[in-house]
Amino acid sequence: MTDPVTELHECFLSAMRAAFGGALPEGASPSLAASKNPQFGDFQANAAMGLSKAMGKPPREIASAIAEQLKKDERFMAVSESPEVAGPGFINIRLKSAALSRALAALDGVALGIDRPNAGAVETVVVDLCGVNLAKQMHVGHLRATVIGDALARLWERLGHKVIRQNHFGDWGLPIAMVTAAVKRGVDRGEIDLGTLTLERLERLYRSSQRVCEADEKGLAAAVRFGLGPKAMAELEAQVGGAREAQASSRAALVALQSHDPAYVSVWKRICDITLASCFEICRRLHANVTAEATAGESVFAHELEGLVADLVERGVAVESEGALVVRLEEFGIKEPCLVRKTGGGFLYATTDLAAIRRRVQSFGADRVIYAVDARQSLHFRQVFAAARKAGYTRRSDGAEALLFHAAFGTVLGDDGTPFKTRSGENVRLSDLLDEAVARAEAAVKEKSPELSEVERRAIAEAVGTGAIKYADLSNDRVKDYVFSFDRMLAFEGNTGPYLQYALVRVRSIFRKAKEQFGIEESVFERSPPAMTIVAPEEKAVALLLLRYPGAVRAAAESCEPHRLCAYLYDLAGAFSSFFASCPVLQAEDEATRMSRLRLSRLVGRVLRDGLDVLGIVPLERM
Ligand code: ARG
């Protein structure tokens, strides 16, 4: 037994079936939960309340019948004391002390109770994450796509599945051609040196070329209508003319790129390299595993789009609508059709995503594709998922349907409740945020632990600062918006990254003292682990939480909600802190208790370390 809840749940189900047979309503659940009050036991089952209405019997009677069956179940009685019916019909369960020790010892194995699935049950999971855009710096909006996406990838990896990360890099389309054309002009005029070009300069070029392309056609029409005079007319005409020229040159650049014109391709490639080098560097700092191998830009699919749309038309999946091609989705309850080709013939963001799904499912063999993308793209993904299904692109070669899931996240807000921006209204650069968090963390570490060397302090500050930003992002309910606050996320108290890192540091420091004061080597706990005897209520609280770890990882992966694992780790750290405050470990009354508590503490440390690692947060030995 590693997870008593699962074990008890199964025993309850068979007891309910044995007690009521066919009279049991379908989907009846034991409703088993940890007890709020340890006086009444470790777990409480509320099944009888729900069943009472459906079965027309008083809940106490139902509870007693279930309890009687449980008492006859050897498997149940091996782990639990005799069940007790209480109040209107609760069933209280208290684990046997020996069973609890056994379960804890089993959890203390290499895998911490998370065993690899059988070969046949290993899933291929594609995680779409990061999704930066060409010639742009990573800003706070990419934080969530990167941090949540990477945590989801880690969660599925931790469960033993095969994970393929995909950074759907926005490197194709008219705006990209526009900036490529602008850079090429600069190079041709000798104003830009591709070798020393920076991302900052590229981003400025992007913005200025975008402005040039924005024709004030409406302004010109109004000027004509209101007869604004020759000077204003001339100015507006020149602006519109310039814009038309710039647009034409962007379109020419797109054609050149599409036909692999080396003069344009080499400039474009260089822009890609500059953008990605900065992206990978930030991901490395974020401790998020996003690499060149995991990057498949939109350009990768460019040559497939024509064939893909032809395939959709041929099979009647896409139809013409006002000169454009669309996939109708009424049968999926979606009013808005998915546009796959514009009237002028251009393809869209959605067309590329369809190609990406086809590749992920049919070439990579994905069982599941998870998209860590902003909630504001919800309609896009509903449309694309439905269109892909209609087109049969979600069917794998073995005939199974892949599961597509938009792990949508909310917006990062500033103090004023609007999307987080700099004072001048610009997007906040992710590198600036990380620098500031690390600087603040360094000041805090310096104050807390002045004895650390500078090198050590720097490394710790980097882990604490970036960990704080990541944890704040991961611990908030994924779909909700949250307010960005350095003060809150860097606090050493509360549900924060530093608090969890510090909880682990406390465990580690117990083991340094154990060695200094008692000569206890940690390897003892591997070689001949002492018995864990759970007596005090605080010990029990820690023990019961520990046993929930595998379930917490599983639940977070399956729901694609890392915040569930965060909440679990926070609870565990809190329970450990109460345990540590009321149960002496090194100063325990006897040797057996000391060793038992040391092993329990060590197990807490192992789970905290593993959990932080699954979230992509660096665990620390000291801070
Ligand atoms: N580059 C896109 C953006 O900035 C995000 C890409 C998300 N992934 C996808 N498969 N569409 O909005």
Side-chain angles (χ1 to χ4, degrees):
M1 175 180 74
T2 50
D3 178 2
V5 182
T6 313
E7 178 103 351
L8 295 175
H9 184 89
E10 283 165 17
C11 292
F12 261 85
L13 281 180
S14 32
M16 285 156 64
R17 255 177 262 133
F20 308 116
L24 194 70
E26 192 152 337
S29 152
S31 308
L32 207 60
S35 271
K36 300 241 163 21
N37 185 345
Q39 234 184 310
F40 300 127
D42 304 327
F43 299 97
Q44 188 178 65
N46 297 338
M49 317 302 159
L51 289 176
S52 165
K53 220 186 242 154
M55 299 178 55
K57 281 189 186 154
R60 255 196 100 91
E61 193 180 304
I62 295 176
S64 303
I66 299 174
E68 283 318 306
Q69 291 300 329
L70 285 171
K71 285 181 201 164
K72 287 191 230 157
D73 180 352
E74 269 176 40
R75 187 170 157 213
F76 179 81
M77 292 306 286
V79 299
S80 171
E81 305 288 355
S82 199
E84 277 169 25
V85 176
F90 305 121
I91 305 172
N92 289 332
I93 304 298
R94 193 181 298 276
L95 291 179
K96 283 203 165 109
S97 165
L100 190 54
S101 300
R102 256 199 323 274
L104 283 172
L107 185 78
D108 202 11
V110 221
L112 285 171
I114 306 175
D115 299 319
R116 308 204 131 259
N118 303 328
V122 174
E123 286 191 28
T124 298
V125 181
V126 172
V127 178
D128 187 299
L129 77 177
C130 189
V132 289
N133 296 312
L134 188 107
K136 289 190 188 166
Q137 312 235 20
M138 278 177 96
H139 57 75
V140 63
H142 298 115
L143 173 70
R144 307 209 77 187
T146 302
V147 166
I148 295 173
D150 186 57
L152 294 176
R154 285 167 186 266
L155 276 161
W156 284 94
E157 273 163 353
R158 181 64 182 86
L159 294 178
H161 297 288
K162 178 185 166 197
V163 172
I164 303 173
R165 289 170 170 78
Q166 291 285 284
N167 174 15
H168 196 78
F169 175 38
D171 64 351
W172 204 245
L174 197 59
I176 306 295
M178 174 192 79
V179 68
T180 306
V183 173
K184 184 165 179 308
R185 267 197 305 278
V187 172
D188 293 345
R189 288 191 203 128
E191 292 161 9
I192 293 176
D193 170 18
L194 282 181
T196 56
L197 184 60
T198 62
L199 187 52
E200 284 81 5
R201 172 118 191 252
L202 265 176
E203 197 165 34
R204 283 198 302 275
L205 277 163
Y206 189 104
R207 265 188 255 129
S208 61
S209 54
Q210 201 170 28
R211 244 176 280 125
V212 174
C213 280
E214 275 165 15
D216 194 0
E217 308 257 8
K218 278 207 190 100
L220 183 59
V224 173
R225 203 154 5 101
F226 296 117
L228 287 190
K231 190 151 166 55
M233 291 283 287
E235 248 172 54
L236 283 164
E237 255 160 22
Q239 196 275 339
V240 169
R244 285 191 192 132
E245 201 177 297
Q247 287 165 358
S249 108
S250 303
R251 269 193 295 274
L254 186 60
V255 172
L257 282 173
Q258 274 162 343
S259 54
H260 309 286
D261 178 337
Y264 280 87
V265 170
S266 63
V267 172
W268 171 79
K269 273 229 167 77
R270 179 77 193 123
I271 305 176
C272 288
D273 289 346
I274 295 169
T275 312
L276 286 177
S278 153
C279 166
F280 297 152
E281 169 57 17
I282 290 184
C283 288
R284 190 196 55 75
R285 266 191 98 177
L286 275 174
H287 209 62
N289 191 356
V290 178
T291 58
E293 298 74 65
T295 299
E298 295 183 24
S299 61
V300 167
F301 303 99
H303 69 280
E304 292 176 25
L305 303 185
E306 199 161 322
L308 180 141
V309 170
D311 170 50
L312 294 179
V313 171
E314 201 170 301
R315 292 189 292 126
V317 178
V319 293
E320 214 185 293
S321 165
E322 296 168 36
L325 288 170
V326 302
V327 179
R328 295 199 187 286
L329 303 169
E330 283 98 349
E331 67 262 47
F332 297 90
I334 303 170
K335 289 196 304 297
E336 304 87 342
C338 182
L339 188 58
V340 293
R341 206 186 71 190
K342 289 191 269 194
T343 315
F347 301 113
L348 299 103
Y349 184 48
T351 326
T352 304
D353 259 323
L354 284 175
I357 290 175
R358 186 169 67 171
R359 177 154 99 133
R360 291 166 183 185
V361 176
Q362 299 185 342
S363 306
F364 297 173
D367 293 271
R368 225 180 257 269
V369 188
I370 299 169
Y371 292 80
V373 182
D374 198 307
R376 287 169 287 195
Q377 296 193 25
S378 287
L379 177 62
H380 166 75
F381 283 111
R382 285 207 301 129
Q383 291 176 311
V384 165
F385 292 174
R389 181 130 303 163
K390 185 161 173 168
Y393 296 159
T394 51
R395 193 153 325 113
R396 303 184 336 163
S397 52
D398 63 3
E401 276 289 311
L403 211 108
L404 306 177
F405 184 74
H406 179 197
F409 52 76
T411 307
V412 182
L413 305 175
D415 286 334
D416 60 355
T418 67
F420 193 38
K421 290 269 155 76
T422 62
R423 238 168 270 134
S424 54
E426 311 257 309
N427 278 327
V428 183
R429 288 162 35 166
L430 200 41
S431 56
D432 292 344
L433 279 189
L434 291 175
D435 288 345
E436 167 133 24
V438 170
R440 287 179 183 233
E442 188 165 358
V445 173
K446 195 167 188 174
E447 197 185 301
K448 257 187 149 43
S449 313
E451 74 285 358
L452 292 171
S453 75
E454 181 164 338
V455 178
E456 236 179 328
R457 188 174 67 227
R458 280 270 156 78
I460 292 171
E462 183 73 27
V464 172
T466 54
I469 289 195
K470 291 185 78 170
Y471 190 84
D473 199 274
L474 292 169
S475 58
N476 278 287
D477 198 332
R478 172 169 52 68
V479 297
K480 292 202 179 132
D481 300 346
Y482 74 90
V483 175
F484 190 94
S485 157
F486 279 122
D487 286 339
R488 207 165 335 114
M489 69 179 63
L490 281 158
F492 282 76
E493 285 304 325
N495 190 9
T496 68
Y499 173 73
L500 285 183
Q501 283 169 321
Y502 193 63
L504 175 58
V505 164
R506 278 172 82 184
V507 175
R508 300 313 308 152
S509 94
I510 298 173
F511 282 88
R512 283 194 293 276
K513 288 201 191 108
K515 180 156 186 206
E516 276 161 33
Q517 296 173 11
F518 296 87
I520 299 171
E521 295 285 346
E522 218 179 322
S523 56
V524 163
F525 296 90
E526 308 268 351
R527 259 186 296 116
S528 47
M532 279 181 279
T533 315
I534 303 304
V535 183
E538 293 83 1
E539 283 176 312
K540 186 128 182 198
V542 169
L544 291 175
L545 267 167
L546 281 170
L547 295 178
R548 281 178 39 205
Y549 180 60
V553 172
R554 228 164 244 124
E558 269 152 25
S559 61
C560 291
E561 294 184 335
H563 68 268
R564 294 186 185 218
L565 181 58
C566 297
Y568 166 83
L569 292 173
Y570 178 57
D571 285 348
L572 178 64
F576 176 71
S577 175
S578 312
F579 155 76
F580 198 60
S582 49
C583 303
V585 176
L586 290 174
Q587 309 306 330
E589 55 266 35
D590 55 65
E591 175 71 11
T593 310
R594 178 183 309 129
M595 292 308 279
S596 168
R597 288 184 178 162
L598 271 173
R599 188 171 172 202
L600 189 68
S601 305
R602 185 167 179 273
L603 190 48
V604 169
R606 289 191 61 210
V607 167
L608 285 174
R609 179 188 289 275
D610 197 71
L612 287 173
D613 205 46
V614 170
L615 293 172
I617 291 175
V618 182
L620 294 168
E621 286 284 319
R622 325 165 180 261
M623 64 193 266

